[in-house]
Amino acid sequence: MKFSQFGQKFTRKSGILQLMDDLGKALASAQPVLMLGGGNPSQIPEIQTYLRQRIHSILANGNEFERMLGNYDTPQGSDEFNQAVAELLKQQYGWQITAKNVALTNGSQAAFFTLFNLFAGHFQSGQVKKILLPLAPEYIGYRDIGLSEDFFVACAPLIEHLPNRLFKYHVDFSQLKIDDSIGAMCVSRPTNPTGNMLTDAEIQGLAALARQYDIPLIIDAAYGTPFPNISFTEVQPYWDENIILCLSLSKLGLPGSRTGIIIGNETVIEAVSSVSAILTLAPNSVGAVMALEMVRNGDILQLSQSVIRPYYEQKMQQAVAWIHQYFAGMNYHLHKPEGAFFLWLWFEGLSISSQQLYEQLKQQGVLVIPSQYFFVGLEDMGAHVHECIRISYAQPPEVIEAGIRLIAQQVRPLMN
Ligand code: PLP
């Protein structure tokens, strides 16, 4: 059997496939594992109760069950849900949008596949365009998504050192080169893996560049505002006709519903819908029905603000305290955790690569993600690329503490 170029590209041992395989195998094995590696959200009791009640009312009421599972939606996704989302965003932020500016996809991961390949790759003119990541490290899920090779170009961050062993990455606008070879820009906000929150000024700067070069700025708000709002710093959400905002129901507690929500201008939404019709006929209806009432009555904002955000903020503070306790005396740095549910640790001068550290930690029964996978398009940036790890603090506290303690034990002899 021989695979096409597409087949070869999408079946080779991509970074993400290897890691997901590892994580899956570790979870399935009889050995207990301290899972600090995955991207699963926590199962927050209040949210679980709310969603369970919603399932009961779906089963009890009228034709909701049928709407959830008995029909195909249009390729753009449930019109009533899209209307409700547009209404919510209009009310909250005054954005001039309607249901025509909203499309659903099977998780936002599928949205990135479609959007990136709409704007980058081979063009009719013979030109080849790329996606620019203005600040790497960036989300690992982007890196293998292009239908052609050499799909990304990225910009190394500026590093600001802060008190208490914290640091923060910033977009280095002086290094940002945009020309005809760039099809679109993309940032995650807050950023997976670092928990960084691009400032309002950075977003305004990128939006202005996008406008100037007539390319879209894709903002991945899978963890951000308005929901699930896992954000520990005050920033403004931003949208204009040139922005493609990608939201998701996953980190709210519904990753299994595979619901991504794209907010874009009508041309973008029509293009995404056309691709969805070919790829999937219609997006999953489960998330749209599950979340319809929450979006209509504003519970989705209320739960995000008063349950989900404080839940993760408390977990973050506890995890940071453990980091400082167990790593005391070492030359470690921690990215200022401003959102999402990850800590990004930088072991400056680590005597092995973080990939080797990952292997050692795996032997000890703790799973993390080594840094080089996140430097999409910037693999040759130097030592920093191999000195960091990402850990998730979505797991129960005893798992996080034991994991951090073990990482510190393992790292201590490897630091100068
Ligand atoms: N964007 C970021 C930054 C993520 O971390 C993830 C998942 O972990 C996604 C997008 C994709 O999420 P989903 O496809 O579940 O919406």
Side-chain angles (χ1 to χ4, degrees), residues 39 106-110 112 139 142 188 190 192 220 222-223 247-251 255 258-260 342:
N106 290 334
S108 60
Q109 188 68 21
F112 297 112
Y139 172 46
Y142 301 151
S188 61
N192 173 1
D220 175 357
Y223 302 83
L247 304 172
S248 169
L249 295 183
S250 295
K251 312 301 171 180
R258 310 307 302 125
T259 307
F342 306 107

mmCIF file with all atom_site columns, all heavy atoms in Angstrom, residues 39 106-110 112 139 142 188 190 192 220 222-223 247-251 255 258-260 342, ligand 1:
data_model
loop_
_atom_site.group_PDB
_atom_site.id
_atom_site.type_symbol
_atom_site.label_atom_id
_atom_site.label_alt_id
_atom_site.label_comp_id
_atom_site.label_asym_id
_atom_site.label_entity_id
_atom_site.label_seq_id
_atom_site.pdbx_PDB_ins_code
_atom_site.Cartn_x
_atom_site.Cartn_y
_atom_site.Cartn_z
_atom_site.occupancy
_atom_site.B_iso_or_equiv
_atom_site.pdbx_formal_charge
_atom_site.auth_seq_id
_atom_site.auth_comp_id
_atom_site.auth_asym_id
_atom_site.auth_atom_id
_atom_site.pdbx_PDB_model_num
ATOM   1   N N   . GLY A 1 39  ? -3.858  18.201 27.759 1.00 0.00 ? 39  GLY A N   1
ATOM   2   C CA  . GLY A 1 39  ? -4.584  19.469 27.618 1.00 0.00 ? 39  GLY A CA  1
ATOM   3   C C   . GLY A 1 39  ? -6.023  19.358 28.089 1.00 0.00 ? 39  GLY A C   1
ATOM   4   O O   . GLY A 1 39  ? -6.837  20.242 27.807 1.00 0.00 ? 39  GLY A O   1
ATOM   5   N N   . ASN A 1 106 ? -15.956 21.252 14.072 1.00 0.00 ? 106 ASN A N   1
ATOM   6   C CA  . ASN A 1 106 ? -15.827 20.132 15.011 1.00 0.00 ? 106 ASN A CA  1
ATOM   7   C C   . ASN A 1 106 ? -14.607 20.332 15.905 1.00 0.00 ? 106 ASN A C   1
ATOM   8   O O   . ASN A 1 106 ? -13.560 19.730 15.714 1.00 0.00 ? 106 ASN A O   1
ATOM   9   C CB  . ASN A 1 106 ? -15.723 18.807 14.255 1.00 0.00 ? 106 ASN A CB  1
ATOM   10  C CG  . ASN A 1 106 ? -17.047 18.458 13.613 1.00 0.00 ? 106 ASN A CG  1
ATOM   11  O OD1 . ASN A 1 106 ? -18.103 18.893 14.085 1.00 0.00 ? 106 ASN A OD1 1
ATOM   12  N ND2 . ASN A 1 106 ? -17.002 17.715 12.535 1.00 0.00 ? 106 ASN A ND2 1
ATOM   13  N N   . GLY A 1 107 ? -14.757 21.192 16.882 1.00 0.00 ? 107 GLY A N   1
ATOM   14  C CA  . GLY A 1 107 ? -13.630 21.594 17.724 1.00 0.00 ? 107 GLY A CA  1
ATOM   15  C C   . GLY A 1 107 ? -12.901 22.729 17.024 1.00 0.00 ? 107 GLY A C   1
ATOM   16  O O   . GLY A 1 107 ? -12.977 22.873 15.784 1.00 0.00 ? 107 GLY A O   1
ATOM   17  N N   . SER A 1 108 ? -12.193 23.568 17.802 1.00 0.00 ? 108 SER A N   1
ATOM   18  C CA  . SER A 1 108 ? -11.493 24.658 17.122 1.00 0.00 ? 108 SER A CA  1
ATOM   19  C C   . SER A 1 108 ? -10.272 24.124 16.386 1.00 0.00 ? 108 SER A C   1
ATOM   20  O O   . SER A 1 108 ? -9.775  24.744 15.457 1.00 0.00 ? 108 SER A O   1
ATOM   21  C CB  . SER A 1 108 ? -11.135 25.787 18.095 1.00 0.00 ? 108 SER A CB  1
ATOM   22  O OG  . SER A 1 108 ? -10.308 25.338 19.120 1.00 0.00 ? 108 SER A OG  1
ATOM   23  N N   . GLN A 1 109 ? -9.784  22.934 16.759 1.00 0.00 ? 109 GLN A N   1
ATOM   24  C CA  . GLN A 1 109 ? -8.664  22.344 16.023 1.00 0.00 ? 109 GLN A CA  1
ATOM   25  C C   . GLN A 1 109 ? -9.016  22.249 14.533 1.00 0.00 ? 109 GLN A C   1
ATOM   26  O O   . GLN A 1 109 ? -8.197  22.564 13.669 1.00 0.00 ? 109 GLN A O   1
ATOM   27  C CB  . GLN A 1 109 ? -8.336  20.959 16.604 1.00 0.00 ? 109 GLN A CB  1
ATOM   28  C CG  . GLN A 1 109 ? -7.091  20.317 16.055 1.00 0.00 ? 109 GLN A CG  1
ATOM   29  C CD  . GLN A 1 109 ? -5.802  21.033 16.458 1.00 0.00 ? 109 GLN A CD  1
ATOM   30  O OE1 . GLN A 1 109 ? -5.761  21.772 17.429 1.00 0.00 ? 109 GLN A OE1 1
ATOM   31  N NE2 . GLN A 1 109 ? -4.759  20.830 15.688 1.00 0.00 ? 109 GLN A NE2 1
ATOM   32  N N   . ALA A 1 110 ? -10.250 21.809 14.257 1.00 0.00 ? 110 ALA A N   1
ATOM   33  C CA  . ALA A 1 110 ? -10.686 21.697 12.857 1.00 0.00 ? 110 ALA A CA  1
ATOM   34  C C   . ALA A 1 110 ? -10.761 23.078 12.211 1.00 0.00 ? 110 ALA A C   1
ATOM   35  O O   . ALA A 1 110 ? -10.511 23.236 11.017 1.00 0.00 ? 110 ALA A O   1
ATOM   36  C CB  . ALA A 1 110 ? -12.038 20.993 12.782 1.00 0.00 ? 110 ALA A CB  1
ATOM   37  N N   . PHE A 1 112 ? -8.725  25.549 12.809 1.00 0.00 ? 112 PHE A N   1
ATOM   38  C CA  . PHE A 1 112 ? -7.372  25.962 12.425 1.00 0.00 ? 112 PHE A CA  1
ATOM   39  C C   . PHE A 1 112 ? -6.920  25.250 11.156 1.00 0.00 ? 112 PHE A C   1
ATOM   40  O O   . PHE A 1 112 ? -6.257  25.836 10.311 1.00 0.00 ? 112 PHE A O   1
ATOM   41  C CB  . PHE A 1 112 ? -6.379  25.757 13.576 1.00 0.00 ? 112 PHE A CB  1
ATOM   42  C CG  . PHE A 1 112 ? -6.743  26.620 14.742 1.00 0.00 ? 112 PHE A CG  1
ATOM   43  C CD1 . PHE A 1 112 ? -7.204  26.080 15.926 1.00 0.00 ? 112 PHE A CD1 1
ATOM   44  C CD2 . PHE A 1 112 ? -6.718  28.000 14.617 1.00 0.00 ? 112 PHE A CD2 1
ATOM   45  C CE1 . PHE A 1 112 ? -7.614  26.890 16.970 1.00 0.00 ? 112 PHE A CE1 1
ATOM   46  C CE2 . PHE A 1 112 ? -7.123  28.817 15.655 1.00 0.00 ? 112 PHE A CE2 1
ATOM   47  C CZ  . PHE A 1 112 ? -7.570  28.259 16.830 1.00 0.00 ? 112 PHE A CZ  1
ATOM   48  N N   . TYR A 1 139 ? 1.076   27.176 20.374 1.00 0.00 ? 139 TYR A N   1
ATOM   49  C CA  . TYR A 1 139 ? 0.309   25.929 20.531 1.00 0.00 ? 139 TYR A CA  1
ATOM   50  C C   . TYR A 1 139 ? 0.826   24.818 19.601 1.00 0.00 ? 139 TYR A C   1
ATOM   51  O O   . TYR A 1 139 ? 0.925   24.993 18.387 1.00 0.00 ? 139 TYR A O   1
ATOM   52  C CB  . TYR A 1 139 ? -1.162  26.251 20.263 1.00 0.00 ? 139 TYR A CB  1
ATOM   53  C CG  . TYR A 1 139 ? -2.087  25.089 20.193 1.00 0.00 ? 139 TYR A CG  1
ATOM   54  C CD1 . TYR A 1 139 ? -2.049  24.065 21.141 1.00 0.00 ? 139 TYR A CD1 1
ATOM   55  C CD2 . TYR A 1 139 ? -3.042  25.010 19.177 1.00 0.00 ? 139 TYR A CD2 1
ATOM   56  C CE1 . TYR A 1 139 ? -2.929  22.991 21.061 1.00 0.00 ? 139 TYR A CE1 1
ATOM   57  C CE2 . TYR A 1 139 ? -3.932  23.955 19.107 1.00 0.00 ? 139 TYR A CE2 1
ATOM   58  C CZ  . TYR A 1 139 ? -3.862  22.943 20.045 1.00 0.00 ? 139 TYR A CZ  1
ATOM   59  O OH  . TYR A 1 139 ? -4.733  21.900 19.966 1.00 0.00 ? 139 TYR A OH  1
ATOM   60  N N   . TYR A 1 142 ? -0.794  23.480 16.178 1.00 0.00 ? 142 TYR A N   1
ATOM   61  C CA  . TYR A 1 142 ? -0.718  24.123 14.858 1.00 0.00 ? 142 TYR A CA  1
ATOM   62  C C   . TYR A 1 142 ? 0.308   23.453 13.954 1.00 0.00 ? 142 TYR A C   1
ATOM   63  O O   . TYR A 1 142 ? 0.178   23.467 12.743 1.00 0.00 ? 142 TYR A O   1
ATOM   64  C CB  . TYR A 1 142 ? -0.281  25.598 14.986 1.00 0.00 ? 142 TYR A CB  1
ATOM   65  C CG  . TYR A 1 142 ? -1.157  26.509 15.820 1.00 0.00 ? 142 TYR A CG  1
ATOM   66  C CD1 . TYR A 1 142 ? -0.603  27.614 16.478 1.00 0.00 ? 142 TYR A CD1 1
ATOM   67  C CD2 . TYR A 1 142 ? -2.518  26.299 15.936 1.00 0.00 ? 142 TYR A CD2 1
ATOM   68  C CE1 . TYR A 1 142 ? -1.389  28.473 17.236 1.00 0.00 ? 142 TYR A CE1 1
ATOM   69  C CE2 . TYR A 1 142 ? -3.313  27.148 16.707 1.00 0.00 ? 142 TYR A CE2 1
ATOM   70  C CZ  . TYR A 1 142 ? -2.739  28.235 17.351 1.00 0.00 ? 142 TYR A CZ  1
ATOM   71  O OH  . TYR A 1 142 ? -3.506  29.083 18.100 1.00 0.00 ? 142 TYR A OH  1
ATOM   72  N N   . SER A 1 188 ? -2.363  32.567 20.010 1.00 0.00 ? 188 SER A N   1
ATOM   73  C CA  . SER A 1 188 ? -3.319  32.079 21.012 1.00 0.00 ? 188 SER A CA  1
ATOM   74  C C   . SER A 1 188 ? -3.262  33.025 22.200 1.00 0.00 ? 188 SER A C   1
ATOM   75  O O   . SER A 1 188 ? -2.190  33.478 22.605 1.00 0.00 ? 188 SER A O   1
ATOM   76  C CB  . SER A 1 188 ? -3.067  30.619 21.400 1.00 0.00 ? 188 SER A CB  1
ATOM   77  O OG  . SER A 1 188 ? -1.787  30.419 21.966 1.00 0.00 ? 188 SER A OG  1
ATOM   78  N N   . PRO A 1 190 ? -5.330  33.510 25.994 1.00 0.00 ? 190 PRO A N   1
ATOM   79  C CA  . PRO A 1 190 ? -4.002  33.229 26.518 1.00 0.00 ? 190 PRO A CA  1
ATOM   80  C C   . PRO A 1 190 ? -3.310  32.127 25.734 1.00 0.00 ? 190 PRO A C   1
ATOM   81  O O   . PRO A 1 190 ? -3.963  31.316 25.080 1.00 0.00 ? 190 PRO A O   1
ATOM   82  C CB  . PRO A 1 190 ? -4.267  32.786 27.959 1.00 0.00 ? 190 PRO A CB  1
ATOM   83  C CG  . PRO A 1 190 ? -5.698  32.382 28.007 1.00 0.00 ? 190 PRO A CG  1
ATOM   84  C CD  . PRO A 1 190 ? -6.403  33.191 26.982 1.00 0.00 ? 190 PRO A CD  1
ATOM   85  N N   . ASN A 1 192 ? -1.267  28.849 24.951 1.00 0.00 ? 192 ASN A N   1
ATOM   86  C CA  . ASN A 1 192 ? -0.807  27.506 25.294 1.00 0.00 ? 192 ASN A CA  1
ATOM   87  C C   . ASN A 1 192 ? 0.511   27.380 24.528 1.00 0.00 ? 192 ASN A C   1
ATOM   88  O O   . ASN A 1 192 ? 0.487   27.548 23.312 1.00 0.00 ? 192 ASN A O   1
ATOM   89  C CB  . ASN A 1 192 ? -1.856  26.498 24.795 1.00 0.00 ? 192 ASN A CB  1
ATOM   90  C CG  . ASN A 1 192 ? -1.403  25.074 24.957 1.00 0.00 ? 192 ASN A CG  1
ATOM   91  O OD1 . ASN A 1 192 ? -0.326  24.823 25.449 1.00 0.00 ? 192 ASN A OD1 1
ATOM   92  N ND2 . ASN A 1 192 ? -2.246  24.147 24.516 1.00 0.00 ? 192 ASN A ND2 1
ATOM   93  N N   . ASP A 1 220 ? -6.766  32.900 18.647 1.00 0.00 ? 220 ASP A N   1
ATOM   94  C CA  . ASP A 1 220 ? -7.245  31.640 19.221 1.00 0.00 ? 220 ASP A CA  1
ATOM   95  C C   . ASP A 1 220 ? -7.527  31.876 20.703 1.00 0.00 ? 220 ASP A C   1
ATOM   96  O O   . ASP A 1 220 ? -6.609  31.980 21.512 1.00 0.00 ? 220 ASP A O   1
ATOM   97  C CB  . ASP A 1 220 ? -6.126  30.591 19.022 1.00 0.00 ? 220 ASP A CB  1
ATOM   98  C CG  . ASP A 1 220 ? -6.430  29.254 19.679 1.00 0.00 ? 220 ASP A CG  1
ATOM   99  O OD1 . ASP A 1 220 ? -7.464  29.118 20.351 1.00 0.00 ? 220 ASP A OD1 1
ATOM   100 O OD2 . ASP A 1 220 ? -5.591  28.331 19.515 1.00 0.00 ? 220 ASP A OD2 1
ATOM   101 N N   . ALA A 1 222 ? -9.195  29.829 22.786 1.00 0.00 ? 222 ALA A N   1
ATOM   102 C CA  . ALA A 1 222 ? -9.747  28.570 23.324 1.00 0.00 ? 222 ALA A CA  1
ATOM   103 C C   . ALA A 1 222 ? -9.884  28.621 24.852 1.00 0.00 ? 222 ALA A C   1
ATOM   104 O O   . ALA A 1 222 ? -10.762 27.978 25.421 1.00 0.00 ? 222 ALA A O   1
ATOM   105 C CB  . ALA A 1 222 ? -8.862  27.393 22.914 1.00 0.00 ? 222 ALA A CB  1
ATOM   106 N N   . TYR A 1 223 ? -9.005  29.407 25.515 1.00 0.00 ? 223 TYR A N   1
ATOM   107 C CA  . TYR A 1 223 ? -9.064  29.518 26.986 1.00 0.00 ? 223 TYR A CA  1
ATOM   108 C C   . TYR A 1 223 ? -9.562  30.895 27.425 1.00 0.00 ? 223 TYR A C   1
ATOM   109 O O   . TYR A 1 223 ? -9.627  31.173 28.624 1.00 0.00 ? 223 TYR A O   1
ATOM   110 C CB  . TYR A 1 223 ? -7.663  29.323 27.590 1.00 0.00 ? 223 TYR A CB  1
ATOM   111 C CG  . TYR A 1 223 ? -7.037  28.002 27.242 1.00 0.00 ? 223 TYR A CG  1
ATOM   112 C CD1 . TYR A 1 223 ? -6.371  27.831 26.032 1.00 0.00 ? 223 TYR A CD1 1
ATOM   113 C CD2 . TYR A 1 223 ? -7.117  26.920 28.112 1.00 0.00 ? 223 TYR A CD2 1
ATOM   114 C CE1 . TYR A 1 223 ? -5.804  26.614 25.688 1.00 0.00 ? 223 TYR A CE1 1
ATOM   115 C CE2 . TYR A 1 223 ? -6.550  25.710 27.789 1.00 0.00 ? 223 TYR A CE2 1
ATOM   116 C CZ  . TYR A 1 223 ? -5.898  25.565 26.571 1.00 0.00 ? 223 TYR A CZ  1
ATOM   117 O OH  . TYR A 1 223 ? -5.347  24.357 26.233 1.00 0.00 ? 223 TYR A OH  1
ATOM   118 N N   . LEU A 1 247 ? -13.238 30.531 19.099 1.00 0.00 ? 247 LEU A N   1
ATOM   119 C CA  . LEU A 1 247 ? -13.634 30.152 20.456 1.00 0.00 ? 247 LEU A CA  1
ATOM   120 C C   . LEU A 1 247 ? -13.905 28.651 20.476 1.00 0.00 ? 247 LEU A C   1
ATOM   121 O O   . LEU A 1 247 ? -13.973 28.001 19.423 1.00 0.00 ? 247 LEU A O   1
ATOM   122 C CB  . LEU A 1 247 ? -14.907 30.908 20.860 1.00 0.00 ? 247 LEU A CB  1
ATOM   123 C CG  . LEU A 1 247 ? -14.848 32.435 20.781 1.00 0.00 ? 247 LEU A CG  1
ATOM   124 C CD1 . LEU A 1 247 ? -16.233 33.036 21.024 1.00 0.00 ? 247 LEU A CD1 1
ATOM   125 C CD2 . LEU A 1 247 ? -13.858 32.975 21.793 1.00 0.00 ? 247 LEU A CD2 1
ATOM   126 N N   . SER A 1 248 ? -14.083 28.118 21.667 1.00 0.00 ? 248 SER A N   1
ATOM   127 C CA  . SER A 1 248 ? -14.284 26.671 21.786 1.00 0.00 ? 248 SER A CA  1
ATOM   128 C C   . SER A 1 248 ? -15.100 26.382 23.039 1.00 0.00 ? 248 SER A C   1
ATOM   129 O O   . SER A 1 248 ? -15.021 27.120 24.026 1.00 0.00 ? 248 SER A O   1
ATOM   130 C CB  . SER A 1 248 ? -12.909 26.003 21.894 1.00 0.00 ? 248 SER A CB  1
ATOM   131 O OG  . SER A 1 248 ? -13.045 24.653 22.265 1.00 0.00 ? 248 SER A OG  1
ATOM   132 N N   . LEU A 1 249 ? -15.871 25.301 22.976 1.00 0.00 ? 249 LEU A N   1
ATOM   133 C CA  . LEU A 1 249 ? -16.583 24.878 24.199 1.00 0.00 ? 249 LEU A CA  1
ATOM   134 C C   . LEU A 1 249 ? -15.750 23.885 25.014 1.00 0.00 ? 249 LEU A C   1
ATOM   135 O O   . LEU A 1 249 ? -16.168 23.447 26.081 1.00 0.00 ? 249 LEU A O   1
ATOM   136 C CB  . LEU A 1 249 ? -17.929 24.235 23.842 1.00 0.00 ? 249 LEU A CB  1
ATOM   137 C CG  . LEU A 1 249 ? -18.983 25.127 23.188 1.00 0.00 ? 249 LEU A CG  1
ATOM   138 C CD1 . LEU A 1 249 ? -20.280 24.339 22.965 1.00 0.00 ? 249 LEU A CD1 1
ATOM   139 C CD2 . LEU A 1 249 ? -19.270 26.365 24.044 1.00 0.00 ? 249 LEU A CD2 1
ATOM   140 N N   . SER A 1 250 ? -14.561 23.537 24.518 1.00 0.00 ? 250 SER A N   1
ATOM   141 C CA  . SER A 1 250 ? -13.809 22.445 25.157 1.00 0.00 ? 250 SER A CA  1
ATOM   142 C C   . SER A 1 250 ? -13.383 22.759 26.580 1.00 0.00 ? 250 SER A C   1
ATOM   143 O O   . SER A 1 250 ? -13.629 21.977 27.496 1.00 0.00 ? 250 SER A O   1
ATOM   144 C CB  . SER A 1 250 ? -12.573 22.109 24.329 1.00 0.00 ? 250 SER A CB  1
ATOM   145 O OG  . SER A 1 250 ? -12.963 21.591 23.089 1.00 0.00 ? 250 SER A OG  1
ATOM   146 N N   . LYS A 1 251 ? -12.730 23.910 26.770 1.00 0.00 ? 251 LYS A N   1
ATOM   147 C CA  . LYS A 1 251 ? -12.117 24.158 28.085 1.00 0.00 ? 251 LYS A CA  1
ATOM   148 C C   . LYS A 1 251 ? -13.166 24.599 29.100 1.00 0.00 ? 251 LYS A C   1
ATOM   149 O O   . LYS A 1 251 ? -12.885 24.729 30.284 1.00 0.00 ? 251 LYS A O   1
ATOM   150 C CB  . LYS A 1 251 ? -10.975 25.170 27.969 1.00 0.00 ? 251 LYS A CB  1
ATOM   151 C CG  . LYS A 1 251 ? -9.995  24.866 26.841 1.00 0.00 ? 251 LYS A CG  1
ATOM   152 C CD  . LYS A 1 251 ? -9.300  23.502 26.950 1.00 0.00 ? 251 LYS A CD  1
ATOM   153 C CE  . LYS A 1 251 ? -8.512  23.196 25.685 1.00 0.00 ? 251 LYS A CE  1
ATOM   154 N NZ  . LYS A 1 251 ? -7.808  21.926 25.690 1.00 0.00 ? 251 LYS A NZ  1
ATOM   155 N N   . PRO A 1 255 ? -15.079 19.098 26.035 1.00 0.00 ? 255 PRO A N   1
ATOM   156 C CA  . PRO A 1 255 ? -14.176 18.753 24.919 1.00 0.00 ? 255 PRO A CA  1
ATOM   157 C C   . PRO A 1 255 ? -14.748 17.640 24.037 1.00 0.00 ? 255 PRO A C   1
ATOM   158 O O   . PRO A 1 255 ? -14.481 17.585 22.846 1.00 0.00 ? 255 PRO A O   1
ATOM   159 C CB  . PRO A 1 255 ? -12.878 18.322 25.621 1.00 0.00 ? 255 PRO A CB  1
ATOM   160 C CG  . PRO A 1 255 ? -13.255 17.988 27.020 1.00 0.00 ? 255 PRO A CG  1
ATOM   161 C CD  . PRO A 1 255 ? -14.455 18.836 27.346 1.00 0.00 ? 255 PRO A CD  1
ATOM   162 N N   . ARG A 1 258 ? -16.788 18.459 20.796 1.00 0.00 ? 258 ARG A N   1
ATOM   163 C CA  . ARG A 1 258 ? -16.063 18.942 19.614 1.00 0.00 ? 258 ARG A CA  1
ATOM   164 C C   . ARG A 1 258 ? -16.775 20.141 18.991 1.00 0.00 ? 258 ARG A C   1
ATOM   165 O O   . ARG A 1 258 ? -17.282 20.066 17.867 1.00 0.00 ? 258 ARG A O   1
ATOM   166 C CB  . ARG A 1 258 ? -15.881 17.818 18.562 1.00 0.00 ? 258 ARG A CB  1
ATOM   167 C CG  . ARG A 1 258 ? -15.324 16.524 19.055 1.00 0.00 ? 258 ARG A CG  1
ATOM   168 C CD  . ARG A 1 258 ? -14.013 16.667 19.836 1.00 0.00 ? 258 ARG A CD  1
ATOM   169 N NE  . ARG A 1 258 ? -12.939 17.289 19.098 1.00 0.00 ? 258 ARG A NE  1
ATOM   170 C CZ  . ARG A 1 258 ? -12.267 18.380 19.535 1.00 0.00 ? 258 ARG A CZ  1
ATOM   171 N NH1 . ARG A 1 258 ? -12.563 18.954 20.687 1.00 0.00 ? 258 ARG A NH1 1
ATOM   172 N NH2 . ARG A 1 258 ? -11.289 18.882 18.825 1.00 0.00 ? 258 ARG A NH2 1
ATOM   173 N N   . THR A 1 259 ? -16.811 21.227 19.706 1.00 0.00 ? 259 THR A N   1
ATOM   174 C CA  . THR A 1 259 ? -17.458 22.428 19.183 1.00 0.00 ? 259 THR A CA  1
ATOM   175 C C   . THR A 1 259 ? -16.503 23.612 19.174 1.00 0.00 ? 259 THR A C   1
ATOM   176 O O   . THR A 1 259 ? -16.091 24.092 20.232 1.00 0.00 ? 259 THR A O   1
ATOM   177 C CB  . THR A 1 259 ? -18.702 22.798 20.028 1.00 0.00 ? 259 THR A CB  1
ATOM   178 O OG1 . THR A 1 259 ? -19.535 21.642 20.115 1.00 0.00 ? 259 THR A OG1 1
ATOM   179 C CG2 . THR A 1 259 ? -19.477 23.939 19.394 1.00 0.00 ? 259 THR A CG2 1
ATOM   180 N N   . GLY A 1 260 ? -16.146 24.041 17.989 1.00 0.00 ? 260 GLY A N   1
ATOM   181 C CA  . GLY A 1 260 ? -15.370 25.262 17.817 1.00 0.00 ? 260 GLY A CA  1
ATOM   182 C C   . GLY A 1 260 ? -16.285 26.327 17.226 1.00 0.00 ? 260 GLY A C   1
ATOM   183 O O   . GLY A 1 260 ? -17.231 26.012 16.485 1.00 0.00 ? 260 GLY A O   1
ATOM   184 N N   . PHE A 1 342 ? -1.651  26.203 32.285 1.00 0.00 ? 342 PHE A N   1
ATOM   185 C CA  . PHE A 1 342 ? -0.305  25.641 32.151 1.00 0.00 ? 342 PHE A CA  1
ATOM   186 C C   . PHE A 1 342 ? 0.729   26.526 32.843 1.00 0.00 ? 342 PHE A C   1
ATOM   187 O O   . PHE A 1 342 ? 0.570   27.743 32.898 1.00 0.00 ? 342 PHE A O   1
ATOM   188 C CB  . PHE A 1 342 ? 0.080   25.539 30.675 1.00 0.00 ? 342 PHE A CB  1
ATOM   189 C CG  . PHE A 1 342 ? -0.919  24.782 29.856 1.00 0.00 ? 342 PHE A CG  1
ATOM   190 C CD1 . PHE A 1 342 ? -1.763  25.449 28.977 1.00 0.00 ? 342 PHE A CD1 1
ATOM   191 C CD2 . PHE A 1 342 ? -1.040  23.407 29.990 1.00 0.00 ? 342 PHE A CD2 1
ATOM   192 C CE1 . PHE A 1 342 ? -2.704  24.758 28.233 1.00 0.00 ? 342 PHE A CE1 1
ATOM   193 C CE2 . PHE A 1 342 ? -1.983  22.704 29.252 1.00 0.00 ? 342 PHE A CE2 1
ATOM   194 C CZ  . PHE A 1 342 ? -2.817  23.377 28.372 1.00 0.00 ? 342 PHE A CZ  1
HETATM 195 N N1  . PLP B 2 .   ? -6.175  26.147 20.749 1.00 0.00 ? 1   PLP B N1  1
HETATM 196 C C1  . PLP B 2 .   ? -5.441  25.913 21.848 1.00 0.00 ? 1   PLP B C1  1
HETATM 197 C C2  . PLP B 2 .   ? -4.498  26.970 22.299 1.00 0.00 ? 1   PLP B C2  1
HETATM 198 C C3  . PLP B 2 .   ? -5.560  24.698 22.523 1.00 0.00 ? 1   PLP B C3  1
HETATM 199 O O1  . PLP B 2 .   ? -4.814  24.460 23.609 1.00 0.00 ? 1   PLP B O1  1
HETATM 200 C C4  . PLP B 2 .   ? -6.469  23.708 22.043 1.00 0.00 ? 1   PLP B C4  1
HETATM 201 C C5  . PLP B 2 .   ? -6.605  22.406 22.712 1.00 0.00 ? 1   PLP B C5  1
HETATM 202 O O2  . PLP B 2 .   ? -5.931  22.059 23.643 1.00 0.00 ? 1   PLP B O2  1
HETATM 203 C C6  . PLP B 2 .   ? -7.194  24.012 20.897 1.00 0.00 ? 1   PLP B C6  1
HETATM 204 C C7  . PLP B 2 .   ? -7.029  25.228 20.289 1.00 0.00 ? 1   PLP B C7  1
HETATM 205 C C8  . PLP B 2 .   ? -8.131  23.031 20.289 1.00 0.00 ? 1   PLP B C8  1
HETATM 206 O O3  . PLP B 2 .   ? -9.226  22.772 21.100 1.00 0.00 ? 1   PLP B O3  1
HETATM 207 P P1  . PLP B 2 .   ? -10.582 22.162 20.574 1.00 0.00 ? 1   PLP B P1  1
HETATM 208 O O4  . PLP B 2 .   ? -10.338 21.544 19.210 1.00 0.00 ? 1   PLP B O4  1
HETATM 209 O O5  . PLP B 2 .   ? -10.958 21.140 21.578 1.00 0.00 ? 1   PLP B O5  1
HETATM 210 O O6  . PLP B 2 .   ? -11.563 23.297 20.475 1.00 0.00 ? 1   PLP B O6  1
#
